[in-house]
Amino acid sequence: MCSSLFVWQIVTKRNRSLTLNLHGKNGPGGSKNFGTLTVHAEESCLSRMAVEMKLRCSQLGNKDMFSKSDPFLRISRLTESGNYVPICKTEDNPLLIECFDFNSNGSHVFIGQLHKSVSELEKLHKERSGANLVSPTHRGQEKVLKGQLFVDQFIGKEQFSFLDYISSGFELNFMIAVDFTASNGTPRNQDSLHYIDPSGRLNSYQKAIIEAGEVIQFYDSDRRFPAWGFGGRYGETLSHCFNLNGTNAYEVEGVQGIMAAYANALHTVTLAGPTLFGPVINTAAELASQATSNDITKYFVLLIITDGVLTDIQETMDALVRASDLPLSILIVGVGNADFKQMEVLDADDGRRLESSTGQVAARDIVQFVPMREVHSKSCSTSPSF
């Protein structure tokens, strides 16, 4: 037999390997050595590569009678379900590249298409050659068109995951933000999501703090966690990012420090609103940016616990896009029975990366959303996935 083993003990090692001594009882008061067991962790992913390309078409067919066509391209990847979804990055699965003639009324006219993998597009770039577009026929065949697609630029960039950071010696910095908007209900009422039960039964916010914090804390060596609240009012001052412990210091000591600061804030903060994520995301991003600028090897994880629908959805998307190239991941836990479809948009698990109001596309997906009602149907004993 061997002692207890946790995932964090393996993945925090630089080579993601841990060797344990196996031992067992050998009569009264004795033990016997049964050798060693080495456990190695590997992250399963199809590709770490993000690709930037410049595509160009020539000799396209004209679809307008009295003017020239206004062609544009739509690129989609094949999903496991067999459907194509628009993408900005992909593994080396076939891509569907479609060309349309733009019409302002939305009835765009199909010009042609082709199927190419990323490696085939890279080959077109290296050979400086074009690939003919095709048009499907009613007989299930394809008509080869004169129009061609060229790849004028192809740049591959390796992207690093959460495990890459921590196994390379990065220390994790856990942060938390708690929703103090009025939609949670008055804390002294038993039907409130913020109700503190004298019997010790945890409310949804306390459960989220405990269940997420007790997993993530093992990756944070000093166990000092920045903790904020948002959507609450101190006296006459409404704040969308205030220190949870009510002092000028934003850090608290350990998970129990978060729990104590949260319980105390319920006595000093008046629930208000609206629900804004932008300020806390910007604050967390500023800490991550400062660490990067000072060459501090830290990876930041922000846990946001909320019950409601966002008022600043576009501002939140803008903040997430700006933060997407920082060593930062955001875990959003939804409590209560609200409709959390907005959070699923922020999560971007459908393959569509977030886009800001200025058209900038997120460098990577940094958000993971989990409804609290689904947490207990899943195991909480594994490493966090970002």
Side-chain angles (χ1 to χ4, degrees):
M1 60 176 293
C2 65
S3 58
S4 298
L5 178 63
F6 296 94
V7 173
W8 68 268
Q9 293 174 300
I10 305 172
V11 298
T12 53
K13 301 298 181 184
R14 198 168 284 271
N15 60 357
R16 298 187 191 174
S17 293
L18 182 65
T19 299
L20 302 172
N21 292 320
L22 301 177
H23 55 83
K25 292 184 178 180
N26 186 25
S31 64
K32 185 177 181 180
N33 184 10
F34 286 93
T36 61
L37 172 67
T38 299
V39 183
H40 179 71
E42 287 188 4
E43 184 179 12
S44 176
C45 64
L46 294 177
S47 176
R48 296 178 183 273
M49 194 64 63
V51 176
E52 294 181 6
M53 292 181 286
K54 287 185 179 179
L55 305 179
R56 170 175 56 88
C57 292
S58 68
Q59 301 185 58
L60 297 175
N62 190 18
K63 297 297 181 179
D64 290 337
M65 184 173 297
F66 301 109
S67 62
K68 291 184 178 180
S69 292
D70 303 305
F72 68 92
L73 295 175
R74 181 173 70 191
I75 305 175
S76 306
R77 71 175 176 88
L78 181 65
T79 65
E80 292 182 358
S81 64
N83 299 318
Y84 279 95
V85 296
I87 56 95
C88 293
K89 65 177 181 180
T90 181
E91 295 79 31
D92 202 34
N93 294 326
L95 302 181
L96 171 63
I97 304 176
E98 300 168 289
C99 185
F100 296 88
D101 175 30
F102 175 82
N103 285 320
S104 58
N105 62 5
S107 59
H108 310 308
V109 180
F110 177 77
I111 296 177
Q113 67 181 35
L114 54 78
H115 289 83
K116 292 290 181 183
S117 68
V118 173
S119 58
E120 289 173 327
L121 291 171
E122 183 180 20
K123 184 178 180 181
L124 289 179
H125 171 67
K126 289 180 177 179
E127 296 178 351
R128 298 185 179 181
S129 59
N132 288 86
L133 301 178
V134 299
S135 177
T137 66
H138 296 295
R139 298 179 181 180
Q141 298 177 337
E142 292 182 333
K143 178 183 177 181
V144 179
L145 306 175
K146 290 184 178 180
Q148 289 189 314
L149 175 80
F150 295 85
V151 182
D152 289 342
Q153 178 178 299
F154 188 100
I155 302 174
K157 297 181 179 179
E158 185 176 6
Q159 292 188 317
F160 298 103
S161 70
F162 167 74
L163 290 181
D164 290 323
Y165 279 105
I166 62 173
S167 63
S168 298
F170 274 67
E171 178 188 346
L172 192 71
N173 198 166
F174 176 49
M175 306 177 287
I176 186 169
V178 178
D179 186 339
F180 282 83
T181 56
S183 56
N184 286 280
T186 305
R188 62 177 177 272
N189 296 338
Q190 293 187 14
D191 60 351
S192 170
L193 292 171
H194 281 310
Y195 177 70
I196 303 294
D197 194 329
S199 69
R201 181 180 178 182
L202 302 180
N203 65 33
S204 295
Y205 282 88
Q206 291 172 312
K207 289 178 181 177
I209 293 170
I210 290 290
E211 294 180 4
E214 288 193 342
V215 172
I216 299 176
Q217 68 173 340
F218 293 107
Y219 301 88
D220 193 326
S221 61
D222 65 6
R223 308 284 173 90
R224 295 189 61 82
F225 308 135
W228 304 290
F230 60 93
R233 190 184 301 274
Y234 272 105
E236 298 300 319
T237 304
L238 174 64
S239 176
H240 298 292
C241 186
F242 56 87
N243 295 340
L244 195 62
N245 60 10
T247 70
N248 292 328
Y250 55 81
E251 289 185 322
V252 298
E253 190 77 35
V255 175
Q256 291 306 314
I258 300 174
M259 293 285 280
Y262 163 69
N264 183 65
L266 291 175
H267 296 291
T268 58
V269 177
T270 301
L271 305 193
T275 305
L276 307 180
F277 280 7
V280 292
I281 293 175
N282 287 333
T283 301
E286 178 63 24
L287 292 179
S289 179
Q290 289 175 2
T292 302
S293 299
N294 295 325
D295 292 326
I296 299 174
T297 54
K298 282 190 176 183
Y299 191 93
F300 295 79
V301 175
L302 171 63
L303 169 64
I304 300 177
I305 313 175
T306 184
D307 83 309
V309 178
L310 284 177
T311 305
D312 66 337
I313 182 65
Q314 186 58 61
E315 290 81 357
T316 295
M317 293 172 67
D318 289 348
L320 291 172
V321 171
R322 288 193 299 269
S324 62
D325 60 352
L326 295 172
L328 170 68
S329 288
I330 299 173
L331 173 61
I332 303 174
V333 174
V335 298
N337 297 313
D339 184 348
F340 291 115
K341 288 183 179 178
Q342 276 185 329
M343 306 303 173
E344 295 171 0
V345 172
L346 300 180
D347 197 326
D349 278 348
D350 61 358
R352 296 176 175 88
R353 285 189 291 175
L354 293 181
E355 185 174 328
S356 73
S357 55
T358 61
Q360 181 182 357
V361 178
R364 61 189 178 96
D365 175 18
I366 64 172
V367 175
Q368 181 68 49
F369 169 69
V370 181
M372 189 66 186
R373 52 181 174 259
E374 295 181 9
V375 168
H376 297 112
S377 64
K378 301 178 182 179
S379 170
C380 295
S381 61
T382 58
S383 173
S385 174
F386 303 109

